[in-house]
Amino acid sequence: MNREVARVSAIWVLLIALTVATYAAGKAGLGGPVVMYALLLSIFIKGHFIIADFMGLRNAPRLWRWLVHGWLVLVMGFIALAYLMGLKT
Amino acid sequence: MRHPNKTTRQLPGDLAIWIFILAELLVFGVFFAAYAFTRASHVALFNQYQQTLNRESGAINTALLITASYFVVRAVQAIKRGDSKRCVNWLAAALLGGGGFLYFKMMEFADKAAEGVSLSTNTFYMFYLSLTFFHFMHVILGMVILFAVLLKARRGGYSAADHTGVETGAAYWHMVDLVWIVLFPLVYVIR
């Protein structure tokens, strides 16, 4: 198995593992800010590898890498901000 | 003068698809923010009805999309080696993954419809149904694109030297996966 195939295969295993962990958190009914931050971290890790390695933006012009990663971070920021606002209601 | 040895950074696929991808990400981003900020003023309602969702289906669908994306990456790697046959096989496997996603999603929608849930039931279900159906349509479009690429690859339409079309179709499919990676925890898990 050449290096590239090995890399994307390892990434696939990581993404599936993080999905199982996300599901387990939901199944256990875990909630609260700490869990929310952990889930956002999981989203970022998965999103990063999809953007960089699956989409192939690791080797693309820096602008595009920053645009798509920027979208992910912005969306995560909104989710966190809204969640914290919800705690106050 | 450009340094001869510096590998030029290349955007995979057509520029046009990346403009389209950014536009789609923007729309989904607004949708996610709308969900999150609406939840902020309906926390109890969202937490209560989130419990009625089929998380197993959501998790299986996440695994199916991730795996289909992995197959698409293998298809791109294959055509870069000029291996059309393997490219076609990996694309077919990815379409199977996409088909699996559509099946589980339709089962989920059918269950909710049987329970009498609709867009007007309450605010949570309005977001859940519209967001997931909007994404469902994108999975279908992504599969149509992959299928068109598969047909052309089968006719020998791509090679190691010319495979922009495969990368273009792949980029769109990965966007559909990327969006679900946010949607699943946001709607099914965060509480």
Side-chain angles (χ1 to χ4, degrees):
Chain A
M1 186 186 272
N2 72 40
R3 230 160 54 91
E4 253 186 67
V5 170
R7 180 182 172 78
V8 292
S9 303
I11 288 169
W12 174 74
V13 171
L14 173 66
L15 298 182
I16 295 293
L18 287 171
T19 299
V20 171
T22 301
Y23 167 71
K27 195 65 184 172
L30 300 181
V34 174
V35 175
M36 181 269 291
Y37 288 128
L39 289 168
L40 285 184
L41 178 62
S42 166
I43 289 173
F44 182 76
I45 293 169
K46 292 165 84 173
H48 164 68
F49 282 111
I50 287 171
I51 292 166
D53 292 277
F54 280 18
M55 283 179 153
L57 290 188
R58 185 179 296 279
N59 306 313
R62 198 166 285 118
L63 168 68
W64 289 95
R65 230 180 15 260
W66 281 103
L67 273 174
V68 186
H69 275 99
W71 171 83
L72 184 61
V73 170
L74 193 64
V75 167
M76 287 167 53
F78 280 134
I79 293 172
L81 176 64
Y83 187 92
L84 298 177
M85 285 168 62
L87 291 180
K88 294 190 178 83
T89 53
Chain B
M1 194 184 85
R2 185 194 290 273
H3 190 287
N5 296 328
K6 190 165 176 24
T7 52
T8 49
R9 289 186 167 275
Q10 200 74 38
L11 193 60
D14 283 338
L15 176 61
I17 197 72
W18 285 99
I19 307 289
F20 186 45
I21 283 171
L22 285 184
E24 299 266 46
L25 289 179
L26 189 63
V27 173
F28 274 103
V30 169
F31 224 149
F32 291 148
Y35 174 94
F37 284 104
T38 303
R39 176 186 179 279
S41 47
H42 300 77
V43 175
L45 175 84
F46 274 57
N47 283 351
Q48 176 192 345
Y49 284 97
Q50 183 192 61
Q51 297 291 70
T52 69
L53 298 186
N54 184 338
R55 267 194 211 91
E56 286 69 26
S57 172
I60 290 167
N61 270 347
T62 308
L64 282 170
L65 280 190
I66 287 170
T67 304
S69 260
Y70 169 70
F71 291 158
V72 167
V73 173
R74 297 299 300 270
V76 171
Q77 290 176 341
I79 200 61
K80 280 183 176 175
R81 296 191 306 266
D83 189 340
S84 286
K85 190 169 181 303
R86 274 212 173 79
C87 176
V88 168
N89 292 342
W90 283 117
L91 288 173
L95 284 167
L96 268 179
F101 179 96
L102 297 183
Y103 169 77
F104 281 104
K105 203 67 221 159
M106 281 187 286
M107 289 303 106
E108 215 178 307
F109 284 146
D111 285 348
K112 284 292 174 272
E115 292 165 21
V117 171
S118 73
L119 285 170
S120 52
T121 299
N122 63 39
T123 308
F124 174 79
Y125 279 131
M126 186 272 288
F127 269 103
Y128 159 69
L129 289 172
S130 47
L131 238 176
T132 52
F133 185 73
F134 187 60
H135 178 268
F136 181 85
M137 301 304 290
H138 283 76
V139 173
I140 292 174
L141 177 56
M143 289 177 69
V144 168
I145 293 170
L146 288 185
F147 187 62
V149 169
L150 182 151
L151 291 181
K152 185 172 178 182
R154 228 169 66 174
R155 293 194 307 267
Y158 301 113
S159 65
D162 174 21
H163 49 266
T164 302
V166 183
E167 289 182 325
T168 299
Y172 187 83
W173 182 263
H174 295 314
M175 180 276 294
V176 172
D177 183 22
L178 176 63
V179 165
W180 182 265
I181 290 299
V182 178
L183 195 154
F184 172 59
L186 175 62
V187 174
Y188 288 78
V189 182
I190 290 178
R191 55 183 293 103

